């Protein structure tokens, strides 16, 4: 294992970057591994044996030569045991779990990195997502990344490569995470018991490893059926219901908008291909100029959708603004 340059796996959310990193770490520590090379995290067939002592320790979360750093807010979702809801040192009240990886965690990692291996093999550090490091924490990690201790390997990942400090990025070997093929995505969704796997796979563009791959799909369909065509209500229109959480609502509106725009340039919809005729008709009704203008509005909101002051009101306002694109009286 000569190439110990830190790996930075990058790609869209839902592609399974965390799963790939943790699987690679498990395979590197597995005592039954036959390969003497660093495994490729993007290899979908990569597996540890699951039976050796090292694999049992990894599964229990107690392997002394594996350290995984993730934001406190993501720990439960990823199945890691990190103390949440810590009390504030000033008020004694519980605080919200942090979305950042704190500098204290990086200092612990640096101390751990310079110790010897407990089991006489590799030591593996997994840091995800790397963009969750605030500048002080990133700077604290730089020296260790640049001159890692013997037998220490870093596996890192991000969904926002542009948010990584250039000094961190330059010390890593960049590797894109490939998108799943549809057959594999459908297999995973069927194993989960998803009722309409093909529709969900299209909606998330096969990014089925996200927390909510069908997020906003039902609401988007109801919204689409409620839009008037040439001033007339669609016969199957029903109640739309309240918008989902703002980030999901913004993403759903972006998908509807993008599909309508695609139909106006002779392309098939990506996210709702089964609704192609309706999307094409509504796209002509709104017009390319208004759809492009609303797209720019959605891009502005997508950057702040996770922390607006009035998320519910904002989602309602954007939904109303979207519906106004299709007013027949405007043509």
């Amino acid at each position: 294992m000569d190439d110990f340059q830190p790996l930075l796996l990058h790609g869209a959310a839902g592609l399974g970057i965390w799963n790939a990193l943790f699987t690679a770490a498990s395979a590197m520590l597995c005592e039954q591994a036959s390969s003497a090379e660093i495994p490729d995290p993007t290899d979908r067939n990569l597996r540890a044996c699951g039976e050796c002592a090292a694999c049992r320790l990894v599964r229990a979360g107690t392997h002394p030569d594996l350290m995984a750093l993730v934001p406190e807010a993501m720990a439960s979702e990823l199945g890691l045991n990190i103390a949440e809801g810590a009390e504030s040192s000033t008020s004694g009240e519980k605080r919200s779990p942090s979305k950042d990886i704190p500098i204290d965690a990086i200092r612990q990692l640096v101390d751990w990195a310079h110790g010897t291996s407990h089991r006489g093999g590799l030591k593996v550090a997994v840091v995800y997502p790397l963009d969750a490091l605030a500048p002080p924490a990133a700077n604290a990690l730089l020296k260790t990344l640049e001159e890692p201790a013997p037998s220490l390997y870093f596996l890192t990942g991000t969904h926002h490569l542009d948010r990584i400090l250039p000094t961190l990025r330059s010390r890593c070997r960049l590797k894109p995470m490939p998108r799943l093929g549809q057959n594999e995505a459908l297999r995973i969704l069927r194993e989960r018991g998803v009722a309409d796997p093909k529709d969900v796979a299209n909606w998330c563009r096969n990014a089925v490893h996200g927390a909510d791959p069908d997020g906003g799909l039902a609401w988007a369909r109801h919204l689409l059926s409620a839009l008037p065509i040439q001033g007339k209500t669609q016969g199957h229109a029903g109640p739309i219901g309240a918008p989902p959480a703002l980030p999901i609502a913004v993403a759903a509106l972006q998908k509807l908008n993008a599909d309508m725009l695609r139909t106006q340039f002779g392309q098939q919809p990506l996210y709702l291909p089964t609704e192609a005729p309706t999307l094409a008709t509504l796209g002509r009704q709104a017009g390319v100029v208004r759809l492009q203008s609303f797209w720019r509005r959605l891009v502005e909101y997508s950057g702040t959708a996770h922390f607006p002051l009035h998320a519910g009101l904002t989602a309602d306002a954007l939904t109303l603004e979207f519906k106004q694109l299709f007013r027949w009286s405007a043509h």
Side-chain angles (χ1 to χ4, degrees), residues 70-76 82-86 95-102:
V70 303
E72 194 178 356
M74 295 178 63
S76 177
I82 295 179
E84 298 185 30
R95 58 171 174 78
S96 299
S98 174
K99 296 181 180 180
D100 296 328
I101 297 175

mmCIF file of all heavy atoms in Angstrom, residues 70-76 82-86 95-102:
data_model
loop_
_atom_site.group_PDB
_atom_site.id
_atom_site.type_symbol
_atom_site.label_atom_id
_atom_site.label_comp_id
_atom_site.label_asym_id
_atom_site.label_seq_id
_atom_site.Cartn_x
_atom_site.Cartn_y
_atom_site.Cartn_z
ATOM 1 N N VAL A 70 -18.041 12.741 11.849
ATOM 2 C CA VAL A 70 -19.168 13.302 11.114
ATOM 3 C C VAL A 70 -19.800 14.369 11.997
ATOM 4 O O VAL A 70 -19.593 14.373 13.216
ATOM 5 C CB VAL A 70 -20.218 12.225 10.756
ATOM 6 C CG1 VAL A 70 -19.598 11.095 9.951
ATOM 7 C CG2 VAL A 70 -20.909 11.694 12.007
ATOM 8 N N PRO A 71 -20.567 15.282 11.435
ATOM 9 C CA PRO A 71 -21.273 16.257 12.268
ATOM 10 C C PRO A 71 -22.233 15.556 13.223
ATOM 11 O O PRO A 71 -22.815 14.519 12.893
ATOM 12 C CB PRO A 71 -22.028 17.125 11.252
ATOM 13 C CG PRO A 71 -21.273 16.960 9.979
ATOM 14 C CD PRO A 71 -20.759 15.555 10.002
ATOM 15 N N GLU A 72 -22.381 16.132 14.383
ATOM 16 C CA GLU A 72 -23.273 15.561 15.393
ATOM 17 C C GLU A 72 -24.679 15.356 14.845
ATOM 18 O O GLU A 72 -25.343 14.361 15.150
ATOM 19 C CB GLU A 72 -23.307 16.523 16.588
ATOM 20 C CG GLU A 72 -23.904 15.962 17.843
ATOM 21 C CD GLU A 72 -23.842 16.981 18.980
ATOM 22 O OE1 GLU A 72 -23.276 18.077 18.793
ATOM 23 O OE2 GLU A 72 -24.381 16.667 20.050
ATOM 24 N N ALA A 73 -25.135 16.292 13.987
ATOM 25 C CA ALA A 73 -26.493 16.227 13.456
ATOM 26 C C ALA A 73 -26.693 15.053 12.508
ATOM 27 O O ALA A 73 -27.831 14.643 12.261
ATOM 28 C CB ALA A 73 -26.837 17.539 12.741
ATOM 29 N N MET A 74 -25.606 14.489 11.964
ATOM 30 C CA MET A 74 -25.717 13.394 11.013
ATOM 31 C C MET A 74 -25.494 12.029 11.652
ATOM 32 O O MET A 74 -25.711 11.000 11.014
ATOM 33 C CB MET A 74 -24.689 13.578 9.880
ATOM 34 C CG MET A 74 -24.909 14.789 9.024
ATOM 35 S SD MET A 74 -23.613 14.966 7.761
ATOM 36 C CE MET A 74 -23.882 13.482 6.792
ATOM 37 N N ALA A 75 -25.043 12.010 12.886
ATOM 38 C CA ALA A 75 -24.615 10.756 13.510
ATOM 39 C C ALA A 75 -25.725 9.711 13.548
ATOM 40 O O ALA A 75 -25.513 8.549 13.189
ATOM 41 C CB ALA A 75 -24.098 11.028 14.917
ATOM 42 N N SER A 76 -26.909 10.100 13.966
ATOM 43 C CA SER A 76 -28.010 9.144 14.083
ATOM 44 C C SER A 76 -28.393 8.588 12.716
ATOM 45 O O SER A 76 -28.619 7.381 12.556
ATOM 46 C CB SER A 76 -29.216 9.824 14.741
ATOM 47 O OG SER A 76 -30.314 8.943 14.805
ATOM 48 N N ILE A 82 -22.710 9.031 18.570
ATOM 49 C CA ILE A 82 -22.093 10.286 18.980
ATOM 50 C C ILE A 82 -23.083 10.984 19.894
ATOM 51 O O ILE A 82 -24.273 11.081 19.579
ATOM 52 C CB ILE A 82 -21.759 11.188 17.776
ATOM 53 C CG1 ILE A 82 -20.697 10.501 16.909
ATOM 54 C CG2 ILE A 82 -21.284 12.557 18.216
ATOM 55 C CD1 ILE A 82 -20.303 11.301 15.682
ATOM 56 N N ALA A 83 -22.599 11.463 21.013
ATOM 57 C CA ALA A 83 -23.501 12.098 21.978
ATOM 58 C C ALA A 83 -24.205 13.276 21.344
ATOM 59 O O ALA A 83 -23.597 14.129 20.721
ATOM 60 C CB ALA A 83 -22.709 12.567 23.200
ATOM 61 N N GLU A 84 -25.522 13.301 21.467
ATOM 62 C CA GLU A 84 -26.317 14.387 20.911
ATOM 63 C C GLU A 84 -27.034 15.111 22.036
ATOM 64 O O GLU A 84 -27.215 14.617 23.139
ATOM 65 C CB GLU A 84 -27.333 13.845 19.899
ATOM 66 C CG GLU A 84 -26.668 13.176 18.719
ATOM 67 C CD GLU A 84 -27.695 12.760 17.677
ATOM 68 O OE1 GLU A 84 -28.725 13.440 17.581
ATOM 69 O OE2 GLU A 84 -27.471 11.768 16.983
ATOM 70 N N GLY A 85 -27.499 16.341 21.697
ATOM 71 C CA GLY A 85 -28.264 17.098 22.663
ATOM 72 C C GLY A 85 -27.458 17.504 23.869
ATOM 73 O O GLY A 85 -27.951 17.544 24.987
ATOM 74 N N ALA A 86 -26.175 17.791 23.682
ATOM 75 C CA ALA A 86 -25.344 18.186 24.808
ATOM 76 C C ALA A 86 -25.862 19.462 25.427
ATOM 77 O O ALA A 86 -26.479 20.291 24.786
ATOM 78 C CB ALA A 86 -23.903 18.371 24.321
ATOM 79 N N ARG A 95 -28.940 21.977 23.419
ATOM 80 C CA ARG A 95 -28.779 22.692 22.161
ATOM 81 C C ARG A 95 -29.066 21.751 20.997
ATOM 82 O O ARG A 95 -29.119 20.534 21.156
ATOM 83 C CB ARG A 95 -27.354 23.221 22.042
ATOM 84 C CG ARG A 95 -26.292 22.135 22.129
ATOM 85 C CD ARG A 95 -24.927 22.672 21.800
ATOM 86 N NE ARG A 95 -23.884 21.677 22.007
ATOM 87 C CZ ARG A 95 -23.602 20.686 21.186
ATOM 88 N NH1 ARG A 95 -24.327 20.526 20.093
ATOM 89 N NH2 ARG A 95 -22.632 19.831 21.456
ATOM 90 N N SER A 96 -29.257 22.342 19.832
ATOM 91 C CA SER A 96 -29.458 21.533 18.634
ATOM 92 C C SER A 96 -28.140 20.882 18.238
ATOM 93 O O SER A 96 -27.071 21.484 18.397
ATOM 94 C CB SER A 96 -29.960 22.414 17.491
ATOM 95 O OG SER A 96 -31.194 23.003 17.812
ATOM 96 N N PRO A 97 -28.181 19.655 17.714
ATOM 97 C CA PRO A 97 -26.938 19.001 17.275
ATOM 98 C C PRO A 97 -26.233 19.848 16.214
ATOM 99 O O PRO A 97 -26.873 20.419 15.328
ATOM 100 C CB PRO A 97 -27.429 17.675 16.693
ATOM 101 C CG PRO A 97 -28.752 17.437 17.338
ATOM 102 C CD PRO A 97 -29.353 18.785 17.539
ATOM 103 N N SER A 98 -24.930 19.924 16.299
ATOM 104 C CA SER A 98 -24.148 20.748 15.386
ATOM 105 C C SER A 98 -24.095 20.125 13.996
ATOM 106 O O SER A 98 -24.035 18.908 13.840
ATOM 107 C CB SER A 98 -22.725 20.915 15.919
ATOM 108 O OG SER A 98 -21.918 21.592 14.981
ATOM 109 N N LYS A 99 -24.090 20.982 12.986
ATOM 110 C CA LYS A 99 -23.936 20.533 11.600
ATOM 111 C C LYS A 99 -22.486 20.631 11.142
ATOM 112 O O LYS A 99 -22.182 20.341 9.982
ATOM 113 C CB LYS A 99 -24.841 21.352 10.682
ATOM 114 C CG LYS A 99 -26.326 21.166 10.961
ATOM 115 C CD LYS A 99 -27.176 21.987 10.004
ATOM 116 C CE LYS A 99 -28.666 21.779 10.301
ATOM 117 N NZ LYS A 99 -29.518 22.576 9.392
ATOM 118 N N ASP A 100 -21.608 21.043 12.039
ATOM 119 C CA ASP A 100 -20.189 21.162 11.715
ATOM 120 C C ASP A 100 -19.381 20.101 12.465
ATOM 121 O O ASP A 100 -19.819 19.558 13.476
ATOM 122 C CB ASP A 100 -19.658 22.548 12.108
ATOM 123 C CG ASP A 100 -20.311 23.657 11.305
ATOM 124 O OD1 ASP A 100 -20.658 23.410 10.137
ATOM 125 O OD2 ASP A 100 -20.481 24.765 11.851
ATOM 126 N N ILE A 101 -18.198 19.821 11.953
ATOM 127 C CA ILE A 101 -17.231 18.995 12.671
ATOM 128 C C ILE A 101 -16.330 19.956 13.439
ATOM 129 O O ILE A 101 -15.612 20.748 12.829
ATOM 130 C CB ILE A 101 -16.404 18.134 11.702
ATOM 131 C CG1 ILE A 101 -17.313 17.157 10.955
ATOM 132 C CG2 ILE A 101 -15.323 17.365 12.459
ATOM 133 C CD1 ILE A 101 -16.609 16.351 9.881
ATOM 134 N N PRO A 102 -16.371 19.945 14.767
ATOM 135 C CA PRO A 102 -15.670 20.969 15.547
ATOM 136 C C PRO A 102 -14.164 20.766 15.576
ATOM 137 O O PRO A 102 -13.655 19.659 15.326
ATOM 138 C CB PRO A 102 -16.271 20.810 16.942
ATOM 139 C CG PRO A 102 -16.658 19.368 17.012
ATOM 140 C CD PRO A 102 -17.109 19.000 15.627
#
